[in-house]
Amino acid sequence: MALTINQIGPCFAGEVAGIDLTKALSSEDAASIHAGMDDYAVLVFRQQPMDNDQHLAFSRSLGELEHAIGTSLRASKDNRFPTNFADVSNLDKENRPFEREDRRRLFAIGNRLWHSDSSFKETPAKYSLLHAHSIPSKGGNTEFADMRAAYDALDEETKAEVEDLICEHSQLYSRGKTLFTDFTDEERERFAPVHQVLVRTHPVTGRKSLYLSSHAGTILGWPTPEASIYLQDLVEHATQRQYVYTHEWRVGDLVIWDNRQTMHRARPFPDQEPRDMRRTTLAGDGPTVI
Ligand code: OGA
Ligand code: MN
């Protein structure tokens, strides 16, 4: 059966049917998924139970993996999985929900701010592939915003203004917005800012998008408070409801999003209920600023 995609969001996001992700991916289906990603920017695959190896194999058949090394506050000895997974669960190594005050939990709560994955890395992420292993009884949705539609809706003057701007991104900035400042010197060094363009052009479709993220703190050459407010205003514009798709998770869902064209955020849920979400990430082509 040929793979089909139906749009489920307001201006983007498609649901894919007619594929079993535990089977080897044919080159036709891989091409359809990439074309679907170019077009819809978020793809939802329902009822795809997979173990980590199947998740990894499917991810690798779409591109090269980015490794989640040194990007969270989990010490490597406390990881549930190898570094080719970003563990976005609220669980410790014994699969128990983190205590409310656990700093790993409080750092991870920064995912509830609108962001693009790994925008704090020199070469930021291409796709993220998030799979739900267990979900809480309520809450815990993930919201996505279409940064192409948000760009298209800017007036011409703003488009000209943002065109060549370069931002500094760091997890210190995103966590600073939650007033989490409990970093060691080593972490501060590890999270040193990187530069990213503010307007990206998709390499296949040629569509422009606003490359925003909670990790973006300032704009090169601008006074920081002015840059910070300017970026917050753009985020407010870009995350209006007409650009947002809300994903209500079911166990076994896999959602892929293009970090070059979208932002996303997690929504709150009861903190003592397990939410076991595992992410692989495909590496981007290179830095956005040369
Ligand atoms: C992520 C992320 C949101 C969520 O996996 O990168 O931000 O809802 N997840 O868990
Ligand atoms: Mn994320």
Side-chain angles (χ1 to χ4, degrees):
M1 190 169 85
L3 170 166
T4 59
I5 304 178
N6 282 313
Q7 190 171 320
I8 49 173
C11 45
F12 73 131
E15 182 169 333
V16 182
I19 187 168
D20 176 350
L21 301 185
T22 64
K23 302 264 158 51
L25 188 66
S26 68
S27 52
E28 292 79 20
D29 282 351
S32 301
I33 291 172
H34 284 298
M37 288 299 293
D38 292 346
D39 206 4
Y40 296 96
V42 175
L43 290 179
V44 170
F45 301 75
R46 295 279 192 188
Q47 290 174 309
Q48 301 282 347
M50 281 189 289
D51 61 24
N52 285 357
D53 288 340
Q54 291 166 326
H55 183 168
L56 272 179
F58 172 66
S59 306
R60 286 196 171 110
S61 59
L62 291 176
E64 192 191 322
L65 292 183
E66 173 189 286
H67 284 214
I69 299 168
T71 55
S72 78
L73 302 191
R74 285 176 195 257
S76 44
K77 66 170 175 48
D78 297 330
N79 280 344
R80 295 195 304 152
F81 310 120
T83 58
N84 38 28
F85 277 92
D87 188 352
V88 266
S89 76
N90 62 338
L91 304 175
D92 66 16
K93 205 168 184 181
E94 281 72 46
N95 292 312
R96 286 180 312 229
F98 290 134
E99 295 296 327
R100 193 165 186 203
E101 293 295 334
D102 192 302
R103 71 193 283 274
R104 295 167 295 185
R105 169 177 182 270
L106 299 180
F107 180 83
I109 268 186
N111 278 339
R112 297 183 192 175
L113 295 171
W114 287 106
H115 66 282
S116 175
D117 289 335
S118 301
S119 76
F120 51 82
K121 291 186 180 175
E122 230 160 84
T123 293
K126 184 183 181 188
Y127 301 163
S128 294
L129 301 90
L130 187 62
H131 193 234
H133 287 255
S134 67
I135 58 172
S137 61
K138 60 181 177 184
N141 293 342
T142 308
E143 296 181 342
F144 298 90
D146 185 349
M147 295 297 105
R148 307 163 302 179
Y151 175 84
D152 291 345
L154 296 174
D155 59 44
E156 292 309 313
E157 197 182 334
T158 311
K159 281 182 183 163
E161 187 171 45
V162 294
E163 181 68 25
D164 295 317
L165 295 180
I166 294 176
C167 300
E168 263 189 19
H169 292 233
S170 164
Q171 296 204 90
L172 298 175
Y173 295 143
S174 48
R175 274 49 191 183
K177 290 170 190 169
T178 68
L179 306 188
F180 179 100
T181 51
D182 172 23
F183 292 108
T184 64
D185 289 345
E186 181 275 320
E187 286 160 354
R188 281 179 198 283
E189 223 162 280
R190 180 144 57 87
F191 298 148
V194 303
H195 293 172
Q196 305 292 359
V197 294
L198 182 53
V199 177
R200 297 187 78 166
T201 303
H202 191 277
V204 176
T205 65
R207 283 192 76 180
K208 286 187 176 177
S209 56
L210 277 173
Y211 191 42
L212 292 167
S213 188
S214 60
H215 309 305
T218 190
I219 300 171
L220 295 191
W222 284 41
T224 295
E226 190 179 3
S228 165
I229 298 288
Y230 187 82
L231 293 170
Q232 282 177 55
D233 282 347
L234 284 177
V235 169
E236 195 174 309
H237 158 74
T239 57
Q240 295 173 79
R241 288 291 112 178
Q242 67 264 32
Y243 310 130
V244 172
Y245 162 69
T246 300
H247 188 70
E248 295 178 21
W249 291 95
R250 292 177 217 151
V251 169
D253 285 356
L254 179 90
V255 179
I256 312 183
W257 61 89
D258 186 340
N259 289 292
R260 304 167 304 179
Q261 316 197 74
T262 60
M263 280 203 290
H264 61 281
R265 65 171 179 178
R267 304 304 291 144
F269 59 95
D271 63 275
Q272 284 313 300
E273 291 186 23
R275 182 175 186 264
D276 189 351
M277 311 289 289
R278 306 176 193 177
R279 192 187 91 208
T280 54
T281 315
L282 299 192
D285 291 336
T288 67
V289 178
I290 342 112

